[in-house]
Amino acid sequence: MAAVRVAIAGSTGSIGTQTLEVVRAEHGVYEVVALGVGTAADAVVAQATELRPEVVVVADAGARARVAAELAAAGLGNIDVTDDHLALVEPADVVVNGVVGFAGLPVTVDTLRAGKRLALANKESLIAAGPVVQPLRAVPGAEIVPVDSEHCAIHQCLRASVDHAREVERVVLTASGGPFRGRTATELAEVTVDQALAHPTWSMGPKITVDSSTLMNKGLEVIEAHELFGTPYDRIEVVVHPQSIVHSMVEFTDGSTVAQLSLPDMRLPIGYALGHPHRIATPFGRIDWAQLSRLDFEPPDTATFRCLGLAYRAGRLGGSAPARLSAANEVAVEAFLAGRIRWNQIPDVCVAVLERHDGSVPTSIDEVVDADADARRVAHRALEELPT
Ligand code: MG
């Protein structure tokens, strides 16, 4: 059988490098035909030298020139080095979108428009551009297989039902609770960047790790679940599960709950999306039931972790509200990582931006981009006005 042709957007990031681990482990099954990065020249040159893709897409002009020069010097001048983001999708059977944040939107749109399978790790594109992305899922051949562990779990659980619209009673998203589970608002007033980046169970990039510490990640995942599976917000619940073994559950109308369990390792959802509808042959860890001994569940502390409620609010408002929330959060998290604001001011920035939501519904990519840009402007203004 011919190898499945894989393109990876964000190939040098956390999702990208873990995708390559899956590809290497499944030798011969997948062929990497395209790599995409923003600025990471050295890392993508090393990847291209190993993998010999057809094309390397580099967004930053300076980095692109360096990549082209170094590949040419290494005798790999036949690899096309370009800024054309469509060139990433064109040679692929499946596109992994591991770009961080709103910048992942073009990859999502291009892949679905081209009628290809999208292994989606970039939740922001679906959340911000839901009204624009949804119709593209009807393009023949277009398919989203979520790489987010919770949504990968729900995707698996839903295979237990043939009529989701009638048979799903509720979707239960699990949350590890992040590094600050059980802390009070007072205790959390002074947390540092290093503390927020020390996730107890998952290995992920810095943006999503901070989002996990505020529960914004879970909030965005509630919106993501609504967009992916069409589940009404009243039927999406969040439960804190500190062991990160149950990755989410679906309860059906007959009272039966189907859950997906595995060790917390992003290579499993990546492999699920690459292999879909089949299972890959490589296990990335297996559960030792004797060692596991217990699984705990508790309700989230929504008073201390305000971001979760904000996400439900934005999701129910609909239109451009999720785009605005996601953009505000990106600005706030960057400011936190740069030491400009405190951890507990991240939701303040989001509230300021959400309050300016005018009820508009984006009908084009340009309108989504405009909503994102406006939200970022408001967020930056809100940053200036925060008490220090
Ligand atoms: Mg997740």
Side-chain angles (χ1 to χ4, degrees):
M1 229 167 59
V4 176
R5 296 159 64 82
V6 179
I8 309 171
S11 66
T12 59
S14 175
I15 292 293
T17 53
Q18 292 185 85
T19 301
L20 293 180
E21 289 176 35
V22 176
V23 167
R24 289 188 198 103
E26 292 277 293
H27 28 172
V29 180
Y30 300 100
E31 178 192 359
V32 176
V33 292
L35 299 168
V37 297
T39 58
D42 292 343
V44 84
V45 165
Q47 289 180 339
T49 305
E50 175 201 339
L51 300 158
R52 313 288 170 100
E54 294 172 17
V55 58
V56 177
V57 180
V58 187
D60 178 76
R64 189 163 59 246
R66 269 183 53 206
V67 171
E70 287 182 30
L71 289 179
L76 296 171
N78 60 326
I79 298 176
D80 182 18
V81 180
T82 175
D83 67 341
D84 174 11
H85 53 86
L86 280 173
L88 183 94
V89 171
E90 202 277 321
D93 299 317
V94 53
V95 178
V96 178
N97 187 352
V99 176
V100 176
F102 185 71
L105 180 59
V107 178
T108 292
V109 170
D110 292 345
T111 304
L112 296 175
R113 261 192 198 141
K116 297 190 175 182
R117 191 198 314 159
L118 174 65
L120 182 63
N122 175 274
K123 63 188 64 155
E124 291 88 347
S125 56
L126 190 61
I127 290 161
V132 177
V133 170
Q134 286 301 358
L136 298 177
R137 296 172 75 183
V139 173
E143 180 182 26
I144 301 177
V145 184
V147 168
D148 211 346
S149 63
E150 295 78 2
H151 306 79
C152 174
I154 295 163
H155 197 273
Q156 296 181 59
C157 297
L158 286 174
R159 290 167 90 173
S161 157
V162 294
D163 188 350
H164 303 164
R166 286 173 59 166
E167 294 176 352
V168 172
E169 182 65 28
R170 58 181 173 149
V171 163
V172 182
L173 286 166
T174 53
S176 69
F180 304 139
R181 182 176 63 90
R183 306 265 195 100
T184 64
T186 324
E187 290 169 339
L188 289 170
E190 302 300 331
V191 301
T192 65
V193 170
D194 285 347
Q195 288 168 333
L197 290 178
H199 197 280
T201 51
W202 287 102
S203 163
M204 303 176 293
K207 196 264 180 182
I208 189 171
T209 304
V210 173
D211 285 349
S212 295
S213 78
T214 61
L215 292 197
M216 180 60 92
N217 182 54
K218 205 53 50 181
L220 294 177
E221 287 178 351
V222 167
I223 302 173
E224 185 185 5
H226 171 81
E227 291 293 335
L228 278 171
F229 306 113
T231 316
Y233 285 102
D234 293 343
R235 291 177 186 262
I236 304 174
E237 289 177 22
V238 171
V239 65
V240 172
H241 166 50
Q243 290 92 357
S244 298
I245 295 292
V246 177
H247 297 297
S248 278
M249 310 175 248
V250 176
E251 183 187 316
F252 296 98
T253 46
D254 62 357
S256 178
T257 295
V258 176
Q260 186 264 328
L261 289 74
S262 61
L263 295 186
D265 190 318
M266 284 311 295
R267 292 173 298 182
L268 188 147
I270 291 167
Y272 178 84
L274 289 181
H276 187 74
H278 298 286
R279 296 272 177 181
I280 63 168
T282 311
F284 290 100
R286 293 184 186 277
I287 294 172
D288 179 343
W289 295 98
Q291 262 241 308
L292 184 62
S293 79
R294 60 185 284 178
L295 298 170
D296 296 302
F297 300 93
E298 64 193 41
D301 175 358
T302 51
T304 304
F305 298 91
R306 291 178 288 151
C307 289
L308 182 57
L310 288 177
Y312 270 99
R313 197 170 122 203
R316 288 188 166 109
L317 282 168
S320 63
R324 299 182 67 86
L325 175 72
S326 181
N329 180 59
E330 275 189 45
V331 170
V333 170
E334 275 167 31
F336 169 68
L337 287 171
R340 288 185 54 205
I341 65 168
R342 293 199 305 271
W343 180 87
N344 61 5
Q345 292 176 316
I346 293 172
D348 296 336
V349 176
C350 296
V351 168
V353 172
L354 215 45
E355 265 161 13
R356 294 275 304 272
H357 173 58
D358 57 4
S360 64
V361 179
T363 56
S364 67
I365 299 294
D366 285 348
E367 288 176 20
V368 174
V369 170
D370 287 347
D372 176 86
D374 182 66
R376 281 169 203 270
R377 269 192 300 275
V378 177
H380 280 290
R381 216 173 307 137
L383 286 179
E384 305 301 328
E385 289 164 8
L386 285 172
T388 47

